[in-house]
Amino acid sequence: MNKARFITLEGGEGTGKTTNLAFIKECLERHGQRVIVTREPGGTPVGEKIRAIFLGEGDVSPESELLLVFAARAQHLRDIIEPALASGAWVLCDRFTDASYAYQGGGRQVDNTLILLLEEMVQKGRKPDLTILFDAPVEVGMARAKRRGGSDRMETEDLKFHERVRMAYLQLAEQNPMRIKIINASRPLDEVQASIAYYLTSLFES
Ligand code: TMP
């Protein structure tokens, strides 16, 4: 049996990370792993309440946004992520701290040193073992997100905002090439899933 791993999925709006969540869970379970699927912001009763505030209507300042996602993360780590990993379950999380660097750092242009400070305080060294970054041109992702319907506070931001988010994600991947694997999400689903399976296999073998 492998050591329990922490896997996160990241990407801009409409890049298909949520669609592929079930596929990844199934791959892991086929390899005999117990899997906890969760998401951020959210994942706990308190975190889900924070998510509603975070994505709801209203003028939320960039710093408030940052504090909200890290408040939810602190609860999530304590109540779900750390206990799951300690029990030997793999954790599959739809977004984590890379999203704070991409959206609050890149999109809202909050100073990255503030994000780093909170990351150190809240995570106490915990980092994902593997991050799959779904990447697609912003227009492609936004069109998909629109077709899906509904639009939250982030989805209604302009293209420039989402371009900055994408660039920040790509920069994070460049800075963390061992952990963050980029998937070209513009390709057909079977090709995307073949790439995902390849990265998961490397995790089983390591
Ligand atoms: P989604 O997970 O359904 O895509 O929605 C979550 C939204 O929250 C998405 O627009 C990205 C945003 N977000 C941040 O801005 N910062 C964060 O740290 C996280 C986890 C999410």
Side-chain angles (χ1 to χ4, degrees):
M1 190 67 78
N2 300 83
K3 173 175 163 281
R5 306 283 189 167
F6 179 27
I7 302 175
T8 59
L9 306 189
E10 298 283 359
E13 312 298 326
T15 51
K17 68 188 167 50
T18 311
T19 310
N20 285 296
L21 204 71
F23 171 77
I24 297 173
K25 180 173 188 272
E26 211 183 285
C27 284
L28 298 177
E29 286 175 343
R30 240 185 292 120
H31 276 82
Q33 309 303 340
R34 195 156 50 86
V35 186
I36 305 289
V37 176
T38 187
R39 69 171 180 181
E40 289 210 353
T44 64
V46 166
E48 291 296 328
K49 283 187 195 158
I50 294 174
R51 181 184 177 95
I53 298 170
F54 181 84
L55 290 175
E57 281 170 20
D59 180 19
V60 184
S61 81
E63 289 76 15
S64 298
E65 268 190 9
L66 184 65
L67 292 168
L68 284 171
V69 287
F70 270 99
R73 189 161 295 138
Q75 197 78 21
H76 197 203
L77 279 158
R78 191 197 68 174
D79 295 352
I80 304 289
I81 298 174
E82 294 298 351
L85 293 170
S87 78
W90 287 45
V91 175
L92 181 55
C93 191
D94 190 344
R95 297 194 189 281
F96 194 63
T97 304
D98 294 310
S100 308
Y101 284 103
Y103 283 80
Q104 282 65 54
R108 303 282 188 224
Q109 301 184 298
V110 173
D111 190 338
N112 274 353
T113 54
L114 289 178
I115 307 177
L116 184 61
L117 208 67
L118 291 169
E119 180 180 10
E120 285 173 351
M121 182 182 96
V122 167
Q123 290 170 223
K124 304 176 182 76
R126 172 63 67 192
K127 298 229 176 181
D129 297 295
L130 171 69
T131 298
I132 299 179
L133 171 59
F134 293 86
D135 179 63
V138 167
E139 308 77 54
V140 174
M142 293 304 285
R144 274 196 207 157
K146 262 207 191 94
R147 277 200 300 277
R148 198 174 55 197
S151 46
D152 58 42
R153 230 168 37 79
M154 291 297 179
E155 285 170 349
T156 47
E157 286 295 336
D158 62 16
L159 286 182
K160 280 205 181 100
F161 173 89
H162 290 286
E163 284 291 358
R164 288 198 299 276
V165 170
R166 184 182 184 206
M167 288 307 130
Y169 267 134
L170 291 174
Q171 199 180 353
L172 284 164
E174 204 177 291
Q175 290 161 350
N176 301 274
M178 298 300 286
R179 174 173 68 84
I180 304 181
K181 304 299 180 191
I182 304 174
I183 299 255
N184 174 352
S186 313
R187 291 173 306 158
L189 189 61
D190 58 338
E191 289 180 28
V192 166
Q193 295 189 337
S195 302
I196 295 172
Y198 170 79
Y199 290 128
L200 293 179
T201 305
S202 65
L203 206 57
F204 292 127
E205 287 165 358
S206 63

